[in-house]
Amino acid sequence: MPDFDLIGIGIGPANLSLAALSEPFPEIRSQFLDAKPEFRWHPGLMLPDSQLTVTYFRDLVTLVDPRSRFSFLNFLVETGRAFRFLEANGVSCSRREFEQYFQWAAEQLPSLQWGKRVESVSLTDDGFRITSEGGATRTARNLVLGSGAEPRLPDFAKPFEGARVVHSSNLTVTRPEWKGRRVLVVGSGQSGAEVVNHLISDENNLPASLTWTSSRIGFQPLDDSPFTNEWFSSTYVGYFNGLPAARRAEIIREQQDAGGDGITDELLGSVYRRLYHLDHVLRSELRHQLLVSRRAVGLEQNGSDIVVDLLDVNRGDVERLPVDLVIFCTGYHNPVPGYLKPIQDQLSIADGAFQVRPDYSLELDAPGDHRIYVQGFAESSHGINDTLLSLASWRSARIVNSVLGREEYRVDAGTTTVAWR
């Protein structure tokens, strides 16, 4: 008999949600492993003014179990801040406070094990053997992969990564010096805008020059309208999952172009107002240029300069821009984890992506009723909501129901205005 019914690898918000929702069921013997010493949520980009881009009702549990003791509202009550929070914030919340909520929940879950780096996963007759650093092993009937996305840094920039070539995910860890320097920010999504807003927030610590590039036609707002938000409903996931693979890929591209990688109106307004204030009120010496339809395609070091090649996607010509610091806000990707190498041949993988069933389990060529579930590896099959907070509790509830073999959490589709069929 295996040691556990369920072992989760990685403890980010997704598997933290799963741990919270499986906690009421003693028949699920679960354990969650992470290499970190404690819960941290994108610590390298935890900037002072960063805000959630979704409502706090999309927390670990509320959309499937609003009575759970692990809800964000219960966190506010238990920490004695509910009234002041609501008066100060309404339905918004800072990312730093939401991390405090995650940490509060993590402290109450004995199933979480920190400092346990998983090295390999292999198959046994009754499930999976998980080997962690140092040779310790555990066995489980089911696995959940939630080891998180990795920063996407262009290949041409990787040899130069360090104090002067940084991915935004490491900004507050690397702590590069930008005062009085020529800075280039690559990427016009929410993280790019947060970085720019941070760079220009202190008039005593400004760059000498700031270039901010967008590969799209502009610096576009996040589409937060009600009809678009139905892309983040459980009904839409079922509809999307039933489409042909080629069409699903086209839709994801269309959604990103429509503002899926956009910036909140509040943050766009903040950056715009701050640049105006620096230019016309403070009359600062900061030189800035915001360039659209530009894609970084090359990088080299020339003496003390970092020279970045910027392709004008409209005209086809390349501008060589010398700078002192480059911050790539180029997102994340989810490669197949290295610890799966012993069983990779038994998994169905196409174009570097897992083939995922509707219940978030993988196609696995192995005897027995043992499953590997995924958290954050199913965008191509389940939609753009897959790596976001939006449906984390609903996805975890589906996994709990699947492991139990019965519907303890209601996960059937709620009502939507659009007829997704």
Side-chain angles (χ1 to χ4, degrees):
M1 182 178 179
D3 301 325
F4 297 96
D5 299 295
L6 184 69
I7 284 184
I9 303 176
I11 308 174
N15 267 351
L16 186 59
S17 168
L18 180 59
L21 288 172
S22 59
E23 191 261 353
F25 304 103
E27 62 267 47
I28 302 181
R29 297 168 301 135
S30 63
Q31 191 172 82
F32 296 82
L33 310 174
D34 199 289
K36 300 189 299 292
E38 60 184 357
F39 186 93
R40 299 296 302 277
W41 189 36
H42 296 301
L45 193 55
M46 189 59 73
L47 302 175
D49 296 326
S50 296
Q51 296 287 311
L52 282 184
T53 59
V54 297
T55 169
Y56 56 70
F57 287 109
R58 295 185 183 273
D59 61 9
L60 299 173
V61 295
T62 294
L63 290 185
V64 293
D65 187 6
R67 294 164 292 188
S68 169
R69 66 187 181 97
F70 295 106
S71 72
F72 180 74
L73 289 178
N74 191 46
F75 159 74
L76 295 179
V77 172
E78 292 291 326
T79 56
R81 63 179 85 176
F83 179 81
R84 289 192 66 192
F85 174 91
L86 293 173
E87 292 301 317
N89 300 291
V91 296
S92 63
C93 180
S94 71
R95 290 184 70 252
R96 192 179 295 276
E97 188 163 19
F98 220 60
E99 182 188 47
Q100 292 175 359
Y101 156 62
F102 289 149
Q103 292 168 337
W104 168 85
E107 289 170 358
Q108 302 177 65
L109 289 163
S111 60
L112 309 186
Q113 298 287 307
W114 304 101
K116 308 294 184 184
R117 183 182 300 278
V118 172
E119 298 285 355
S120 67
V121 172
S122 57
L123 277 163
T124 68
D125 291 339
D126 55 359
F128 303 94
R129 177 178 288 108
I130 298 91
T131 302
S132 55
E133 196 172 40
T137 63
R138 300 163 175 81
T139 56
R141 184 165 59 89
N142 302 288
L143 285 183
V144 184
L145 311 183
S147 43
E150 297 180 4
R152 182 189 288 114
L153 191 68
D155 289 339
F156 61 78
K158 290 178 181 177
F160 303 94
E161 186 175 11
R164 299 178 61 196
V165 177
V166 183
H167 188 274
S168 58
S169 63
N170 291 316
L171 186 63
T172 62
V173 175
T174 305
R175 296 185 180 276
E177 176 62 46
W178 61 75
K179 181 178 180 179
R181 290 187 163 189
R182 300 165 297 173
V183 180
L184 168 64
V185 177
V186 177
S188 61
Q190 182 74 8
S191 62
E194 288 180 354
V195 168
V196 168
N197 192 54
H198 186 57
L199 294 177
I200 62 177
S201 62
D202 181 359
E203 63 188 83
N204 297 312
N205 197 36
L206 292 172
S209 69
L210 172 64
T211 302
W212 184 20
T213 67
S214 170
S215 61
R216 295 180 289 179
I217 195 62
F219 298 88
Q220 296 176 258
L222 178 70
D223 186 347
D224 196 31
S225 61
F227 289 104
T228 295
N229 279 340
E230 289 205 353
W231 295 344
F232 304 94
S233 68
S234 57
T235 307
Y236 178 79
V237 173
Y239 164 77
F240 182 87
N241 187 243
L243 299 176
R247 180 55 188 149
R248 292 200 302 261
E250 291 174 354
I251 289 173
I252 288 174
R253 287 193 294 271
E254 291 171 7
Q255 289 170 331
Q256 291 169 340
D257 289 343
D261 290 334
I263 305 164
T264 62
D265 285 341
E266 180 182 4
L267 183 55
L268 278 173
S270 176
V271 172
Y272 196 97
R273 287 189 298 272
R274 182 61 179 163
L275 289 174
Y276 173 86
H277 192 71
L278 288 169
D279 289 345
H280 298 288
V281 180
L282 297 180
R283 297 179 181 175
S284 77
E285 296 181 357
L286 170 68
R287 293 173 287 109
H288 59 82
Q289 56 176 346
L290 278 62
L291 302 177
V292 301
S293 302
R294 301 299 203 283
R295 181 175 292 117
V297 294
L299 185 151
E300 66 181 27
Q301 186 156 358
N302 184 7
S304 61
D305 291 341
I306 299 292
V307 181
V308 181
D309 294 334
L310 296 177
L311 171 67
D312 185 328
V313 298
N314 291 331
R315 297 186 175 91
D317 55 342
V318 174
E319 173 187 0
R320 292 175 59 79
L321 182 69
V323 295
D324 302 305
L325 171 64
V326 188
I327 304 172
F328 283 95
C329 306
T330 42
Y332 301 82
H333 67 130
N334 290 68
V336 175
Y339 53 74
L340 291 180
K341 188 173 182 180
I343 63 171
Q344 191 163 323
D345 291 343
Q346 292 164 276
L347 299 171
S348 182
I349 300 173
D351 298 324
F354 292 120
Q355 302 300 291
V356 186
R357 301 186 184 107
D359 68 351
Y360 291 92
S361 65
L362 300 182
E363 300 284 351
L364 177 66
D365 182 16
D369 186 25
H370 313 300
R371 296 199 171 191
I372 300 177
Y373 300 92
V374 293
Q375 302 251 44
F377 291 90
E379 181 180 82
S380 62
S381 57
H382 289 65
I384 62 171
N385 62 75
D386 186 65
T387 58
L388 307 176
L389 292 176
S390 302
L391 288 177
S393 61
W394 175 81
R395 182 174 59 242
S396 293
R398 292 201 66 176
I399 295 172
V400 170
N401 288 350
S402 181
V403 171
L404 289 171
R406 63 181 188 271
E407 188 169 293
E408 284 290 341
Y409 291 112
R410 180 177 176 178
V411 294
D412 58 328
T415 59
T416 55
T417 302
V418 177
W420 298 110
R421 63 171 186 244

